[in-house]
Amino acid sequence: REVARLVLPEHGLPGYDYVLIGRAEATAARPFEQLQSDLIYALKRLHQPPRPRSEDKRAGKKPPRKD
């Protein structure tokens, strides 16, 4: 909770609800500074524009055959 309290005001965006899930042993064993870095990295990735993908890949379709 403390990481979210410190990081979200600066790196979160207004109007978003964030759900953070930690794993008991893994989260508790991770250094505090690393948890902060992890959350900042995740927020940056979450809010960057999506990379363009071809229509065929998005729809799961194969390209049309050339007969």
Side-chain angles (χ1 to χ4, degrees):
R1 289 183 181 155
E2 183 65 8
V3 170
R5 188 185 72 76
L6 294 172
V7 170
L8 287 176
E10 186 175 337
H11 297 280
L13 294 180
Y16 282 79
D17 294 325
Y18 298 98
V19 177
L20 305 177
I21 301 172
R23 290 176 280 158
E25 291 86 27
T27 304
R30 197 145 176 92
F32 188 78
E33 293 78 17
Q34 189 63 51
L35 290 173
Q36 288 178 296
S37 296
D38 292 345
L39 181 54
I40 291 167
Y41 173 78
L43 291 168
K44 285 180 181 178
R45 290 222 32 216
L46 177 67
H47 294 299
Q48 65 180 279
R51 292 183 290 176
R53 295 174 12 180
S54 74
E55 290 295 322
D56 295 329
K57 286 183 182 177
R58 257 188 281 155
K61 298 177 185 176
K62 294 181 181 178
R65 292 189 322 183
K66 296 179 183 177
D67 291 338

